[in-house]
Amino acid sequence: AHARHRVDSSAPRDMAHADDAMTRVREAIDALGDAGASADAIADALTTMRRACLTSDDACDDVVKEYLTHSPDFADVLNIWDSYHANHAQKVCAPLLALCGTMMTRARETAATSGRASGDGWTERERLALDSLARAIMSRRMRQIYSHLASGVRVRVNAGLITLAGIAGRGKRCASELFRTFDFSLAVLPKIASPPRDSGAKDGTSQRRHRDGKDVLAGSTRRAFCEFVLAFFAVNDAALLRPVLAQRVLFGNVARFSAGDDPSMQIRMLQVIKEDIISAKSGVPARLRAALFGDVTLEQLATMAGREDVDDEASTSGRVARDAREVLCELFTNPAHGLCPERSGAAPKKCQSIVRLLQKLRPMDCEAHLTILLRACETHPALAMMYLPNAKYALEPRLSAHWLAATGLIGRVCVAAAADASASSAAARADGAALV
């Protein structure tokens, strides 16, 4: 009864806190509509509204609905954007863009199609108002977005990317329009997709993998870039999938440094690989799949697969390691992905990327790497033949567990290679008999 009393007594405090928060939001909305408000006052109002949005999804819904009752066509937001971009791009426009991107995550097309656009959920008018805001940005304000991306100021870059992610995630129509509108030739994109300079390592991993907080605006530009790219896949548009994947500046830069990302981001990236790229239902051509998995991307996947907690499937890192291992095994055994041989005895040049990675694995120290190596070599003996000449193992006889394991591993690879040699010899005899 005492515990029940404590729970019941906390409810009024939570309601009072929510009321106070909405009161501050209403005051902030009034400040946005005040023509005489200073830049500092507008910046504070924008920050207050976005901070309330980040509290919870329900709180964000309340903020968006409250704002739309005051400015159904987002006139205040767009007027502030146009008035302050030239002189207060960082103080006013950065929090403004971040707020727009956050608001556009609500009342999406997917919510409307699942029935949330009626009743106590979102109305069609509210969804269309947010879609209209997205189109107003794409049609007349993309140059301002580009200026934020090229500014070199982390907060401004992140604000621009948050806005783009909000637009792309609204649904298939907005995502397609943004893809047609966006300038993918911007020279700054690879730079903002890279991890922070002070945290990069030689293998692309980061020494500060877990420090990004909930707010994307306060994180690295790479995290914001990944959110932008993954938003295109979240709308599940089959017609947009191939064009997005063909733009290597997008997913290619997400995968390029993925081993240093937060585990939750790695899970999302691997999910895109499994469901949208290598899935038989995706319809992605083998040549495009192979182009997406170059040496650097394969190394990133191998680094994730080799994490020590691969067997701890309950942890996020364990799921990452397991999924990365499964992806590599699939890529190295299934010819449909364009990397491994299509038939026994064939060793085309496209296999070189697999062999180069196999030679960098640590099968003696890592169970996942051992599994990947043996699965590839035993499924396609041609890979075993290409792997053996440069295999570096100390095979001088010595009484140690490491030596026994190394000889056992090389023995299994040699057996696989012998199968390839036998197949090649049989094929040659068959060809000779046919000629005779």
Side-chain angles (χ1 to χ4, degrees):
H2 181 62
R4 193 162 54 245
H5 174 71
R6 287 202 309 268
V7 173
D8 293 342
S9 64
S10 65
R13 290 197 300 270
D14 294 339
M15 293 179 61
H17 179 73
D19 290 341
D20 292 342
M22 283 308 300
T23 298
R24 291 192 294 271
V25 168
R26 293 187 184 98
E27 293 173 350
I29 293 174
D30 292 337
L32 295 184
D34 184 1
S38 65
D40 290 332
I42 293 176
D44 291 342
L46 294 168
T47 301
T48 298
M49 291 178 62
R50 186 166 184 272
R51 187 178 295 121
C53 288
L54 295 177
T55 303
S56 66
D57 288 345
D58 291 338
C60 188
D61 294 346
D62 293 338
V63 172
V64 175
K65 291 178 180 179
E66 184 69 26
Y67 178 80
L68 288 175
T69 61
H70 288 74
S71 181
D73 56 356
F74 287 95
D76 294 343
V77 163
L78 296 176
N79 287 336
I80 292 171
W81 184 317
D82 296 335
S83 300
Y84 286 90
H85 175 75
N87 298 321
H88 297 283
Q90 183 169 342
K91 178 184 289 186
V92 175
C93 287
L96 175 64
L97 266 64
L99 175 62
C100 289
T102 304
M103 289 196 297
M104 284 188 290
T105 63
R106 316 308 302 161
R108 288 175 168 174
E109 180 180 314
T110 51
T113 56
S114 64
R116 287 195 58 204
S118 60
D120 295 333
W122 295 99
T123 65
E124 185 71 6
R125 182 182 64 83
E126 291 165 341
R127 186 178 69 82
L128 291 177
L130 287 164
D131 286 347
S132 177
L133 172 62
R135 292 192 175 92
I137 295 172
M138 288 187 286
S139 62
R140 297 188 297 274
R141 295 169 176 85
M142 289 302 291
R143 286 189 178 182
Q144 289 93 323
I145 294 286
Y146 299 151
S147 70
H148 283 282
L149 298 182
S151 67
V153 180
R154 179 179 55 81
V155 173
R156 290 184 60 188
V157 173
N158 287 350
L161 291 170
I162 290 172
T163 304
L164 294 172
I167 294 173
R170 289 210 55 73
K172 296 179 180 180
R173 287 172 291 186
C174 283
S176 296
E177 186 173 345
L178 177 61
F179 185 81
R180 292 193 302 269
T181 304
F182 191 79
D183 182 7
F184 294 104
S185 65
L186 293 176
V188 74
L189 292 179
K191 180 179 179 180
I192 62 180
S194 302
R197 187 177 302 175
D198 60 346
S199 61
K202 291 184 179 180
D203 60 353
T205 60
S206 171
Q207 302 300 320
R208 301 165 59 185
R209 295 172 56 235
H210 303 286
R211 293 192 181 182
D212 274 341
K214 179 181 179 181
D215 189 0
V216 179
L217 185 64
S220 65
T221 60
R222 170 167 174 78
R223 179 187 175 189
F225 179 84
C226 291
E227 295 286 353
F228 164 50
V229 175
L230 295 180
F232 283 108
F233 297 96
V235 298
N236 297 318
D237 187 354
L240 192 60
L241 180 59
R242 292 190 192 182
V244 168
L245 291 175
Q247 282 288 352
R248 298 188 66 179
V249 73
L250 292 177
F251 189 78
N253 276 318
V254 170
R256 184 175 179 81
F257 301 102
S258 55
D261 290 334
D262 185 89
S264 60
M265 183 64 71
Q266 293 172 342
I267 285 286
R268 294 167 60 189
M269 188 271 294
L270 289 167
Q271 184 178 5
V272 168
I273 292 178
K274 295 172 67 175
E275 298 181 2
D276 297 323
I277 300 179
I278 66 174
S279 171
K281 300 178 182 179
S282 68
V284 178
R287 179 175 295 181
L288 179 54
R289 296 187 196 184
L292 292 170
F293 296 102
D295 287 9
V296 174
T297 299
L298 293 178
E299 288 183 30
Q300 297 293 297
L301 292 171
T303 300
M304 288 185 277
R307 297 267 157 78
E308 295 180 355
D309 48 1
V310 63
D311 295 326
D312 183 11
E313 296 186 0
S315 70
T316 305
S317 296
R319 290 175 54 200
V320 168
R322 183 195 64 228
D323 288 352
R325 180 191 62 203
E326 293 175 354
V327 166
L328 286 174
C329 288
E330 174 68 15
L331 290 174
F332 292 176
T333 57
N334 190 343
H337 307 309
L339 292 177
C340 60
E342 297 179 0
R343 58 185 177 83
S344 179
K349 292 182 178 180
K350 65 182 180 181
C351 297
Q352 293 293 337
S353 60
I354 296 181
V355 177
R356 284 193 293 268
L357 180 72
L358 294 180
Q359 292 169 351
K360 295 177 182 179
L361 297 181
R362 299 176 289 103
M364 302 304 301
D365 305 317
C366 176
E367 185 68 25
H369 285 188
L370 176 63
T371 300
I372 295 167
L373 172 63
L374 293 178
R375 190 82 60 85
C377 290
E378 292 175 351
T379 303
H380 297 287
L383 295 177
M385 287 285 291
M386 300 170 70
Y387 172 79
L388 280 174
N390 295 308
K392 298 178 181 179
Y393 298 95
L395 298 180
E396 294 80 5
R398 64 184 66 182
L399 190 59
S400 68
H402 187 276
W403 178 80
L404 292 174
T407 54
L409 170 61
I410 288 296
R412 293 185 62 175
V413 176
C414 287
V415 169
D420 178 70
S422 299
S424 299
S425 176
R429 288 196 299 271
D431 291 342
L435 289 174
V436 173

